[in-house]
Amino acid sequence: MLAADVEELQRLWADDFVVTPPDLAPRDKATVLAGVLDGAIAYTSFERIVDQERALGADVVVTVGREIVTPAPGGPGAGTRLLRRFTHVWQRRGDGWQLVARHVVVTGPADE
């Protein structure tokens, strides 16, 4: 995400991927990728810490944790280090794992 590597995001995200971002308006894979391509979704720093992983059977894993991000100029919260909490749902598809759902919420400035 930090490198805006759309090719890698295409591979990691399932075709039916859905995200509920901090503005709480669910978005599909194509919409999020378009935001990355046009620079509307961009960061100058991005760190993810996985706090817990839980397997739900052999083909689904849920991860929860936190992210410390600095949105790039022009985006919401630009220049401010933000602490976010996330939940990811991964599913085994074909030969590997893909992210099928993501929920993220901003909890406040990261430096407080």
Side-chain angles (χ1 to χ4, degrees):
M1 192 57 126
L2 183 59
D5 186 342
V6 173
E7 187 174 307
E8 182 66 6
L9 295 173
Q10 284 266 25
R11 186 186 70 73
L12 284 174
W13 294 347
D15 288 340
D16 55 349
F17 171 74
V18 63
V19 61
T20 302
D23 69 7
L24 303 179
R27 292 178 176 83
D28 63 11
K29 178 179 180 175
T31 303
V32 179
L33 288 173
V36 173
L37 280 170
D38 71 15
I41 302 171
Y43 303 94
T44 58
S45 69
F46 192 109
E47 178 184 4
R48 179 174 295 134
I49 301 106
V50 175
D51 293 328
Q52 192 173 88
E53 299 174 349
R54 181 160 300 155
L56 305 176
D59 296 327
V60 175
V61 170
V62 175
T63 60
V64 295
R66 52 210 142 105
E67 298 169 339
I68 300 170
V69 301
T70 306
T80 303
R81 283 173 35 97
L82 301 173
L83 178 61
R84 307 190 306 194
R85 297 292 305 179
F86 73 87
T87 301
H88 287 169
V89 179
W90 294 87
Q91 186 174 39
R92 186 186 313 270
R93 298 219 173 152
D95 295 357
W97 291 86
Q98 289 190 306
L99 189 60
V100 295
R102 168 177 163 80
H103 182 268
V104 64
V105 62
V106 174
T107 61
D111 300 322
E112 288 187 357

